Amino acid sequence: MSDIIIGIDLGTTNSCGAYVNEEGNVKLVPTPGGGTTIPSIFAIDDKGNELLGFEAKRQWLLNPTKTVYGAKRLMGRNPSGGFVSKMKEYFPYEINSSESGKVVISIGDREMNLVEISSCILNKVRTLAADHLGQPVTQAVVTVPAYFNDRQRQAVKEAGKMVNLEVTRVVNEPTAAAMAYGLRKDVNQTVAIYDLGGGTFDVSVIEIRGKVFEVKATGGDIFLGGIDWDNALIDYVLRDFETKNGVDLSKDPIAMQRIKDLAERTKVDLSSRTEAPFSIPFISMTPEGTPLDINLVISRQLYENLTQPLVDRTIEIAEMVVQDSGLTVQDLDAVLLVGGQTRWPAVQEAVQEFFGQEPSKGVHPDEAVAAGAAIYGHSLQSEATDEKMQLLDVIPMRIGIERADGTLQEIFERNAAVPNQKSMNFTTSYDNQAELAMRIYQGDAQTALKNEMLGEFEFSGIRQGPEGAVNVQVVFDCSVDGILTLSAHDADTGNEMTTTIKVASSEQ
Ligand code: AMP
């Protein structure tokens, strides 16, 4: 088989690889255990060996402080912000701040940033694919939550580079799922994709016209997913234990890991039964040395009550996205459920009620994203033009420049189509001005600083002249991956200026 571009779904909890074989069929990369997904978990064992996937998960109860899971949630976050402090309560591993102000994870005496951890996971999937295919794999289409900003997309490309894997395209997860749905069926439909995974939530409205996939609107929350369901139950169990025994288990990493592990299993159990035991013997001890156990029975009803606000939030977002698409729910031909957490019955009921139709069974919730990425990768390589898929995606949040008064001047609006290009003219504001600096942010807040800074750019080599005499034209180019690059030239002479990125967006 010639060189192929595989598809990789780099998930918060699980990752998955797929490819298109010589017969043109999509295949999932098998994992050694006989499944198709591997846990997105990285660990270092007591001997200092790096472990990944199932091997890492197998020892997470014994070694919680050196087992990193859910790391994708921390990508692109400010280490001193409220979100990271909240995550520190739930994650037993040590989350710190690097000298350059980025989130790093301390594992034993090693410090790793999130790009490194993602690169290990990408490498694991790539290696599984290469072993299975019997040939090297050097290129992949990698999916990200639609609601990832520019900075987080850059981080994924960067992660690939670290392990010599060229990330040919970064594709939004719901868009990839739509590609898996539309494959070869010559579908002409407008569909909504409700994608609730382990750590993130996305909704997209996509028009499929044969091989053209046009995203009409997208929205989401990169901090809403299965982990929040787990955390709701963990909180309940911790509160109940503290009330009964006066002991706060949240400070004990081993106890927390046992609770977390059982919380997720109980959640999965409760998606197909109405009651499940929640028992952990010898979780702690009284000051006198008497062992304490957790002995609870959790009903689905109780769990649903604890997590109703999470379901409501997904529906609020879905409502906004449908509105942004300029359509109504009646215009949608199908609703696709993607992501493991969509197996939760209350989620399915809420989706059905909001969209007024039963969700389609047309895609596999765990595999559609990787499959769609593989299909797109295959299409990028295809010589035949009728095989080529055309992807018209959008940016999830607006991008703008910080004005002197601290507000954000919009360059690309939310849901602006990509690829996209805009240009803006600036004039010099004092005599012989040689440089022009600007800060670019992404987010929907009016105040620039409340958004995510994508970078600080400086253009130098401006022609000497009196104030206002030189026109600098800055070009903002947003690629099909949703990644922004800037360039500038003298509007009168056409001379290119030197662009320096003072704060890079890919520094994650
Ligand atoms: P994904 O990122 O799509 O692999 O989704 C993983 C999330 O789905 C995790 O939070 C899982 O706990 C959750 N999940 C998987 N199966 C079920 C199930 N049967 N019921 C509820 N949640 C599930």
Side-chain angles (χ1 to χ4, degrees), residues 9 11-14 195-199 225-227 230 264 267-269 271 338-345 365-366:
D9 171 4
T12 312
T13 39
N14 296 300
D195 179 358
L196 185 62
I227 290 177
D230 305 344
E264 192 191 352
K267 173 185 74 177
V268 172
D269 260 8
S271 67
V338 182
Q341 191 59 44
T342 59
R343 293 199 179 86
W344 186 245
D366 299 325

Side-chain angles (χ1 to χ4, degrees), residues 80 88 192 260 305 383 419 426:
S80 48
K88 282 182 183 170
K260 189 206 136 34
N305 294 345
E383 302 281 308
F426 298 86

Side-chain angles (χ1 to χ4, degrees), residues 5 31 35 37 104 118-119 136 143 175 215 223 230 250 280 295 388-389 396 436 498:
I5 302 180
T31 61
T37 61
V104 285
S118 298
S119 73
T143 58
T175 312
V215 181
F223 303 114
D230 305 344
S250 68
I280 308 179
N295 248 323
K388 290 245 185 268
M389 297 172 111
L436 177 72
T498 311

Side-chain angles (χ1 to χ4, degrees), residues 214-227:
E214 184 173 353
V215 181
K216 294 290 185 191
T218 198
D221 185 338
I222 55 166
F223 303 114
L224 182 57
I227 290 177

